[in-house]
Amino acid sequence: MSLDEIRQRIEAAARAAGRDPADVTLIAVSKLQPNTRVIAALEAGQRVFGENYVQEAQRKWPALREGRAGVELHLIGPLQSNKARAAVELFDAIHSLDRPSLAQRLARSVQDLGRAPRMFVQVNTGDEPQKAGIPPAEADGFIALCRSLDLPVAGCMCIPPEGEDPLPHFRLLRMIAERNGLNGLSMGMSADFETAIAEGATHVRVGSAIFGERPKRQAEDADPASSD
Ligand SMILES: *Cc1c(COP(=O)(O)O)cnc(C)c1O
């Protein structure tokens, strides 16, 4: 599917929900995609991109960004504390702020570098044991902690459990964001971004629907296991 078609579907979903399409940002998720596809998206005017791995993004984006104004990079994958500094240096937004140790590391890097990416608190709305994200029951306290560390918290992010109806997860995330006075909602992927927009998503993260299937991740790309 082309970028244009995705933009049209986003616009239609926003209008159907009585929302201004300009309030929905399309994050084109370019992780593991060949550069030729990413360059095609850049040439079609796309400027906001999502990456999952700090090292992969460090390798490819300096060159891709060169000579192109307005490129915005969002980290949407899990972030190890020992890569917090590199993430603050490279990214304009981080969607995977999900634990106190990481919040502390990010806060220190923000102070050191004088640069503060917008942050989204990732909530594990399905309370899945293997999944990243702060449990919903701890979200309010965690958001307060992040604010006390002067992190610029812009909103909340979730990845609903696979194979489940995403709707209750989007609703739960929206409730958590609203009661904490947060406007940003990073939710919705290729399979469910229209549902997410109906529930108030401000940022949809769409990969394969734009770029096609991703090649499998190679071992050499793998970041070492979390060091927390
Ligand atoms: C890979 C990824 C996406 C994009 O997924 P698609 O199904 O290809 O649209 C969105 N969000 C996160 C957190 C991802 O890791």
Side-chain angles (χ1 to χ4, degrees):
M1 195 165 296
S2 75
L3 195 51
D4 235 28
E5 283 173 279
I6 298 294
R7 287 190 189 132
Q8 280 167 24
R9 283 173 58 189
I10 288 172
E11 189 170 323
R15 290 200 195 290
R19 302 183 54 204
D20 182 349
D23 292 338
V24 182
T25 298
L26 169 61
I27 302 175
V29 178
S30 47
K31 64 174 178 224
L32 304 176
Q33 295 287 357
N35 277 356
T36 49
R37 294 183 192 168
V38 183
I39 290 166
L42 282 162
E43 284 178 353
Q46 179 65 26
R47 283 296 176 269
V48 184
F49 290 85
E51 290 285 344
N52 277 57
Y53 313 106
V54 174
Q55 282 170 333
E56 181 191 348
Q58 281 175 320
R59 265 200 310 274
K60 67 193 220 193
W61 276 101
L64 287 170
R65 245 178 170 166
E66 183 139 326
R68 294 188 172 100
V71 171
E72 224 183 79
L73 289 184
H74 292 234
L75 179 67
I76 62 170
L79 177 58
Q80 299 162 231
S81 294
N82 63 2
K83 297 212 172 84
R85 190 182 173 90
V88 168
E89 272 172 343
L90 181 64
F91 289 96
D92 302 292
I94 296 174
H95 293 239
S96 45
L97 171 53
D98 69 349
R99 57 192 190 281
S101 58
L102 178 61
Q104 263 139 18
R105 291 288 281 265
L106 286 169
R108 212 177 311 148
S109 300
V110 164
Q111 285 198 340
D112 286 354
L113 297 166
R115 179 172 204 284
R118 280 165 289 144
M119 310 269 173
F120 290 77
V121 167
Q122 183 173 352
V123 182
N124 185 358
T125 55
D127 265 322
E128 295 173 277
Q130 81 289 1
K131 198 172 253 170
I134 194 90
E138 295 168 30
D140 295 357
F142 181 61
I143 291 166
L145 169 73
C146 293
R147 285 176 161 154
S148 76
L149 293 168
D150 283 334
L151 290 173
V153 183
C156 294
M157 178 272 217
C158 77
I159 309 170
E162 254 184 74
E164 266 186 44
D165 179 2
L167 190 60
H169 298 275
F170 294 156
R171 291 199 169 143
L172 173 59
L173 193 72
R174 180 183 191 155
M175 240 172 52
I176 292 171
E178 279 180 354
R179 72 176 180 235
N180 285 282
L182 293 169
N183 296 322
L185 282 173
S186 168
M187 58 190 198
M189 312 188 357
S190 289
D192 55 19
F193 66 87
E194 284 143 320
T195 307
I197 289 168
E199 292 304 315
T202 59
H203 293 72
V204 293
R205 311 176 308 264
V206 181
S208 44
I210 296 172
F211 295 109
E213 284 306 305
R214 280 181 285 278
K216 284 267 173 291
R217 193 178 184 202
Q218 300 297 305
E220 66 191 32
D221 288 332
D223 294 343
S226 173
S227 59
D228 275 357

